[in-house]
Amino acid sequence: MAFYKALLLLSSRLPMLRNYLKIAVRNLFKNPGYSFINIMGLAVGMAASMLIMLWILDEFSYDTFHTKKDRIYRVMRNFRESETNTWTSSSQGGLLGDYLRKNIPEMKNVTMTGWESPMALAYQDKVMKKTTMTVEPDFFRMFSFEPVKGSLQTAFKNPNSIVLTESTAKALFGDEDPINKVIRYYGQVDLKVTAVLKDYPKNSRFAFEALIPVKLYDALGWSSYGWSNNNFQLYVELDPNANLEAVNAKIRNIYAQQDKGSSNGDIFLHALTRSRLHSRFENGVSVGGRIENVQLFGIIAGFVLLIACINFMNLSTARSEKRAREVGIRKTSGAMRGGLIGQFLGESLLLALLGFLLAIGLVEVSLPWFNELVEKQLSIDFLHPLYWLAALSIVALTGILAGSYPAFYLSSFNPVTVLKGTMQTGRAASLPRKVLVILQFSFSIALIISTILVYQQIQHAKNQPLGYDQENLMYFAMEGDASNHWQALRSEIMATGLAENAYASSSVPAAEGGSNGWGFNWRGRKPEQYNQVFEFMRVSYDFVKTSGVQVLAGRDFSPAFPGDTSRAVILNESAVKVLGFRNPLGETISRGEPNEPYAEKYTVVGVVKNFAYGSPYETMSPMMINVSVNGGNLSYMVVRLRGASSVGIEKIQSLYQKYARNVPFDYHFIDSDFEKRFQAERLLGSLAFVFGSLAVFISCLGLFGLASFMAEQRRKEIGVRKVLGASVLNLWGLLSKDFVVLVGLSFLIASPLAYYFMSDWLNKYAIRIEIGWLVFAVSGCIALGITLLTVSYQAIRAASANPVKSLKTE
């Protein structure tokens, strides 16, 4: 019975709803200019918000495809460098995994993984580099990677095995069955393909294209196990009934209990699902990370949509006089206020729907460009029911938000006052519109200020003295047998005349990674300095001569000095300051206590100026540069070319591949790699610029509409002023003045807010700019210029109109 009553009520309301729809459509076509501004403003606002939300949803979706995601944790370590400084690392000693597996029953599975790195894979005449990672068998039990060929349970039964992703298998074998095919790995080892994984989603913390067992490195003697050799990442799966706090308490002091040399370091578990967004730690406490950018752009998405809604509110209330008589007649004819509110909200929802349909088109057109900008593969899943639910929610929210104030405002008109023609729309009526315009431009100006400051911060870091010469400085990884013959390879490169100089190294300044260590001893060392961390780089002769690093005291490594074989070191300025040496040349530094038989002793032969190494936003850490001539993990060759040319690169490649057969020649220029270190900040700046520009564009659309309305409203006044002798310039100033005042107020609100939030953002960087007044002056001028350009067309058009047309009815 209730159903039939509801159906009857709906059928009785259909004529009224049909009538409301007709009125809405008529108003749409009757005022095409205002309709276009409203629909376009809503569409751009919705499209911008949808792009941001697609990006945010992708960030939150990382690693969610693993069925055990809520029980998987990453093992982290808090290292106390001093009483006031603790830094957090995910690197763990090679013995920790087995210890946890045997002694912590709450951990169902434990897997160590090596660092992901590009490695050479060769099959017949095909040679390519693919990102490879070493793992233990528990890896497949913990993470949801699906096999399409072979068995993951037995994939690593033999150490000489390799598991490929579908894409890698296709690239190497085409349509052949890859199982049991033999691949040449690293130009040195033959591995049998035992399984193929389905290509996993891109929203994963892992980026491997091939997996090999940790036991392979054991068999080859490449692994370095111990409590202090922090070469591994560690992941654990907890039992569903395990208590995280209790497990953390149990494992916290394992390093102290098992190895006195590694006693400094409390370990704890960090949830896999938080690892991407909450990866920044300060003094051992998680303080944010990418989540800060996610929150920031979530706020931007909300404000961009709000700005579009403000346009609708402003234009609707500004045109209230146009619809005042309609409201008066309807109320006189018996229309209730609730019905009028429903009508105006319906019109708003119709515009929101049209805006949404246009927004979908804008998103689809801009997605390829946006994906390239953010380096993702975002898309709208039109077949997913949740998408349509979200779409309808956005339309409803936008329609109601945009139409609520106009609906309640228009429906409140007194019919007697309206129909007598005595309705006044003075300052009180225009005040809400002014407040909304100020809100719009406050946000837009704040984004302009923020974008300029992000750009300045990037340029400030890029303009810091590098401490070495990047020009024509290239490097390549020495794989296969090349690292065992680096001296011969260097000699042959120098013999070509293509290079000014070259040296071998364990790491290069612009590349990711590097190594560090602690436990050093020196004359005058304080007890608490045992935990002082030093960056550590091994190089061959001619390091200074090739890199262009500036020597402050002493000399470069050279074969002319018999002692320069493995125990000579060069310090940077930061290291000298920490060590406290007035004259460091000839001083001895040991690794471990001096009386221990295995202590390594180094003699200082030189001091160099600090040079860029690691993050360009951080001050240079203390560094020891150790000469190593006979081996010592010299995995890169750094070459100073006489001129960067394709002919020279090809010649060096041919020399390299004499020693590294079945290995691609993977070379890089250091200046190009250095540019990549600014990628995260550059992306932040680009997104702020793009969506800040859209916010300004939407605000200008509304400003243009309001200027048009105000010019029309003051048409007779302008006619009278022209007859009395006012010039076009006088009238332009009269019509522009109100908007300039509003933007000025917006600037006064936006400036302190932008200063507060950007100061907080800049505080994350040790090397940072100071916020100067010029940024605010430039931002204010930009906002003022945009405002004047937006309103000038309507102002000049109104000021230039023939006054006879506006006054002929008076």
Side-chain angles (χ1 to χ4, degrees):
M1 182 65 70
F3 172 77
Y4 289 110
K5 284 184 178 180
L7 194 62
L8 186 63
L9 180 63
L10 179 63
S11 62
S12 67
R13 294 290 179 90
L14 282 176
M16 182 180 67
L17 295 174
R18 194 182 302 115
N19 184 49
Y20 285 171
L21 182 61
K22 282 182 181 179
I23 294 171
V25 173
R26 283 175 186 168
N27 281 318
L28 196 66
F29 288 101
K30 184 180 178 182
N31 304 284
Y34 289 104
S35 298
F36 171 79
I37 290 174
N38 268 331
I39 293 172
M40 179 57 71
L42 287 173
V44 174
M46 285 182 177
S49 299
M50 287 166 66
L51 286 173
I52 296 175
M53 292 312 297
L54 284 173
W55 180 77
I56 289 175
L57 289 174
D58 183 76
E59 288 292 319
F60 275 110
S61 71
Y62 267 70
D63 297 312
T64 56
F65 65 93
H66 299 295
T67 56
K68 299 178 180 179
K69 60 183 180 296
D70 295 326
R71 305 206 305 269
I72 299 176
Y73 294 83
R74 192 181 188 187
V75 182
M76 307 294 290
R77 182 178 183 183
N78 281 334
F79 186 90
R80 293 185 301 278
E81 190 171 16
S82 66
E83 291 298 321
T84 59
N85 184 34
T86 297
W87 53 274
T88 303
S89 172
S90 61
S91 300
Q92 305 297 339
L95 296 177
L96 181 60
D98 273 342
Y99 181 90
L100 295 177
R101 195 176 287 116
K102 294 173 182 176
N103 296 282
I104 310 298
E106 293 91 341
M107 296 181 180
K108 291 187 64 177
N109 289 298
V110 177
T111 183
M112 287 196 307
T113 70
W115 298 97
E116 295 171 317
S117 58
M119 304 295 279
L121 304 180
Y123 175 71
Q124 295 179 353
D125 60 339
K126 292 182 180 178
V127 181
M128 58 191 67
K129 276 202 168 184
K130 294 294 181 181
T131 303
T132 307
M133 185 170 71
T134 56
V135 300
E136 294 181 303
D138 276 0
F139 182 83
F140 299 118
R141 300 185 186 98
M142 294 168 59
F143 297 100
S144 302
F145 297 109
E146 302 177 35
V148 292
K149 290 181 182 292
S151 169
L152 297 182
Q153 281 69 37
T154 59
F156 288 160
K157 189 174 181 181
N158 187 315
N160 286 62
S161 303
I162 187 168
V163 174
L164 308 176
T165 61
E166 276 185 293
S167 298
T168 304
K170 182 73 174 177
L172 280 168
F173 303 106
D175 295 328
E176 295 181 51
D177 184 357
I179 300 300
N180 293 325
K181 293 286 195 306
V182 176
I183 292 174
R184 189 73 171 170
Y185 173 73
Y186 196 64
Q188 291 187 344
V189 187
D190 288 332
L191 303 179
K192 184 182 290 186
V193 180
T194 54
V196 175
L197 297 177
K198 181 180 179 181
D199 285 340
Y200 54 93
K202 296 295 182 183
N203 53 349
S204 169
R205 70 166 298 98
F206 299 110
F208 63 81
E209 297 166 289
L211 295 171
I212 55 175
V214 170
K215 287 185 177 179
L216 170 67
Y217 278 22
D218 295 348
L220 296 173
W222 293 357
S223 293
S224 179
Y225 287 110
W227 289 102
S228 300
N229 296 323
N230 302 305
N231 300 321
F232 296 95
Q233 304 279 292
L234 210 59
Y235 297 89
V236 302
E237 176 197 342
L238 291 187
D239 185 275
N241 298 318
N243 181 280
L244 178 62
E245 292 183 5
V247 173
N248 275 333
K250 186 182 290 189
I251 66 175
R252 180 174 294 118
N253 298 317
I254 286 177
Y255 278 107
Q257 295 165 359
Q258 298 301 312
D259 185 72
K260 299 301 180 184
S262 300
S263 60
N264 189 340
D266 296 339
I267 61 174
F268 64 96
L269 302 183
H270 190 51
L272 175 73
T273 51
R274 291 177 57 86
S275 292
R276 178 174 174 82
L277 297 180
H278 300 266
S279 59
R280 187 163 65 89
F281 291 80
E282 289 182 5
N283 288 321
V285 179
S286 177
V287 293
R290 293 178 69 93
I291 189 64
E292 294 166 357
N293 289 344
V294 170
Q295 292 167 342
L296 171 64
F297 284 100
I299 293 170
I300 290 176
F303 269 102
V304 168
L305 190 58
L306 180 62
I307 285 174
C309 294
I310 286 173
N311 275 355
F312 186 94
M313 295 179 193
N314 273 344
L315 293 175
S316 297
T317 54
R319 296 180 63 249
S320 58
E321 287 185 38
K322 296 279 187 180
R323 304 197 67 177
R325 292 187 182 278
E326 175 194 340
V327 173
I329 292 171
R330 285 181 174 276
K331 281 194 169 184
T332 305
S333 302
M336 302 298 291
R337 188 182 182 191
L340 292 171
I341 290 173
Q343 177 192 336
F344 292 128
L345 283 177
E347 292 179 16
S348 175
L349 288 168
L350 175 63
L351 287 174
L353 180 60
L354 294 174
F356 175 75
L357 295 176
L358 181 56
I360 292 292
L362 292 175
V363 170
E364 285 296 310
V365 168
S366 58
L367 257 179
W369 163 82
F370 188 68
N371 281 333
E372 186 177 347
L373 175 66
V374 299
E375 297 183 347
K376 291 180 181 287
Q377 296 178 356
L378 306 176
S379 62
I380 299 176
D381 186 1
F382 289 101
L383 299 178
H384 201 294
L386 283 178
Y387 164 76
W388 291 106
L389 179 63
L392 292 174
S393 299
I394 289 173
V395 171
L397 177 65
T398 305
I400 293 171
L401 183 63
S404 57
Y405 177 69
F408 285 98
Y409 176 71
L410 292 171
S411 64
S412 67
F413 290 163
N414 187 321
V416 176
T417 304
V418 168
L419 296 176
K420 284 175 64 178
T422 58
M423 176 181 168
Q424 299 293 323
T425 55
R427 292 182 178 275
S430 64
L431 183 61
R433 289 199 299 275
K434 292 179 179 179
V435 171
L436 292 175
V437 168
I438 290 171
L439 180 61
Q440 274 186 318
F441 270 88
S442 295
F443 178 69
S444 300
I445 293 169
L447 276 180
I448 293 172
I449 295 170
S450 301
T451 302
I452 294 174
L453 288 174
V454 171
Y455 174 79
Q456 285 187 335
Q457 172 65 6
I458 293 172
Q459 293 305 118
H460 178 71
K462 289 172 73 172
N463 292 334
Q464 291 296 303
L466 295 175
Y468 63 93
D469 182 9
Q470 287 187 335
E471 187 175 1
N472 294 329
L473 198 62
M474 66 162 285
Y475 71 95
F476 55 86
M478 293 188 291
E479 298 177 88
D481 209 27
S483 59
N484 297 324
H485 299 279
W486 68 266
Q487 291 167 313
L489 175 59
R490 179 189 177 279
S491 297
E492 292 183 34
I493 290 174
M494 294 300 297
T496 64
L498 297 168
E500 293 182 14
N501 220 312
Y503 71 94
S505 176
S506 62
S507 60
V508 291
E512 296 287 346
S515 61
N516 54 37
W518 62 92
F520 291 94
N521 189 57
W522 62 90
R523 183 174 57 84
R525 190 204 78 186
K526 298 175 183 177
E528 63 271 16
Q529 287 183 301
Y530 183 79
N531 296 322
Q532 174 64 53
V533 175
F534 291 86
E535 297 292 329
F536 211 76
M537 181 166 64
R538 289 186 171 87
V539 299
S540 67
Y541 301 133
D542 295 322
F543 159 71
V544 171
K545 191 175 180 181
T546 306
S547 64
V549 171
Q550 184 179 346
V551 177
L552 299 178
R555 57 177 176 81
D556 192 1
F557 301 121
S558 170
F561 295 88
D564 287 7
T565 53
S566 62
R567 297 304 180 206
V569 295
I570 293 174
L571 306 176
N572 71 350
E573 292 174 286
S574 296
V576 173
K577 185 176 180 180
V578 167
L579 294 167
F581 294 145
R582 289 189 177 182
N583 181 16
L585 299 181
E587 291 283 359
T588 299
I589 302 169
S590 61
R591 185 80 181 270
E593 296 299 332
N595 297 327
E596 294 175 348
Y598 57 82
E600 301 170 349
K601 296 183 180 180
Y602 304 95
T603 301
V604 179
V605 300
V607 177
V608 296
K609 195 174 182 65
N610 284 346
F611 58 92
Y613 186 89
S615 171
Y617 297 102
E618 301 298 329
T619 53
M620 183 61 193
S621 301
M623 171 176 273
M624 295 184 187
I625 304 158
N626 170 224
V627 66
S628 182
V629 180
N630 302 314
N633 191 29
L634 299 180
S635 50
Y636 295 95
M637 180 74 74
V638 182
V639 182
R640 171 80 64 187
L641 297 173
R642 295 191 184 277
S645 68
S646 58
V647 175
I649 299 296
E650 289 173 5
K651 181 61 178 175
I652 294 175
Q653 178 178 356
S654 65
L655 294 174
Y656 170 76
Q657 291 184 327
K658 284 173 53 180
Y659 302 98
R661 296 178 180 87
N662 298 319
V663 176
F665 182 59
D666 186 20
Y667 71 94
H668 304 265
F669 280 91
I670 283 182
D671 55 356
S672 298
D673 276 12
F674 184 73
E675 283 292 318
K676 295 176 183 176
R677 307 304 288 269
F678 302 93
Q679 187 173 359
E681 284 72 22
R682 191 179 290 116
L683 173 61
L684 178 66
S686 297
L687 289 174
F689 173 77
V690 168
F691 293 109
S693 299
L694 289 176
V696 171
F697 172 74
I698 297 168
S699 299
C700 289
L701 275 179
L703 210 59
F704 185 84
L706 279 177
S708 174
F709 166 76
M710 287 181 66
E712 181 183 347
Q713 191 181 42
R714 302 178 71 174
R715 186 165 52 92
K716 295 187 187 299
E717 177 193 346
I718 291 168
V720 171
R721 287 179 180 273
K722 284 200 74 173
V723 170
L724 295 175
S727 67
V728 172
L729 185 62
N730 294 143
L731 295 172
W732 171 79
L734 176 70
L735 292 172
S736 303
K737 181 182 65 176
D738 288 346
F739 293 105
V740 171
V741 171
L742 294 180
V743 172
L745 291 172
S746 300
F747 175 76
L748 293 177
I749 294 171
S751 295
L753 289 174
Y755 181 87
Y756 174 78
F757 287 108
M758 291 308 295
S759 294
D760 185 58
W761 178 73
L762 288 169
N763 284 335
K764 295 188 296 185
Y765 302 102
I767 296 175
R768 51 157 291 180
I769 60 170
E770 294 299 325
I771 302 177
W773 65 268
L774 187 60
V775 175
F776 299 97
V778 170
S779 301
C781 290
I782 290 173
L784 182 61
I786 290 172
T787 302
L788 290 176
L789 283 174
T790 303
V791 302
S792 288
Y793 171 76
Q794 295 290 3
I796 293 172
R797 181 184 172 198
S800 303
N802 187 344
V804 174
K805 292 183 179 180
S806 59
L807 298 176
K808 65 182 180 181
T809 58
E810 295 299 316

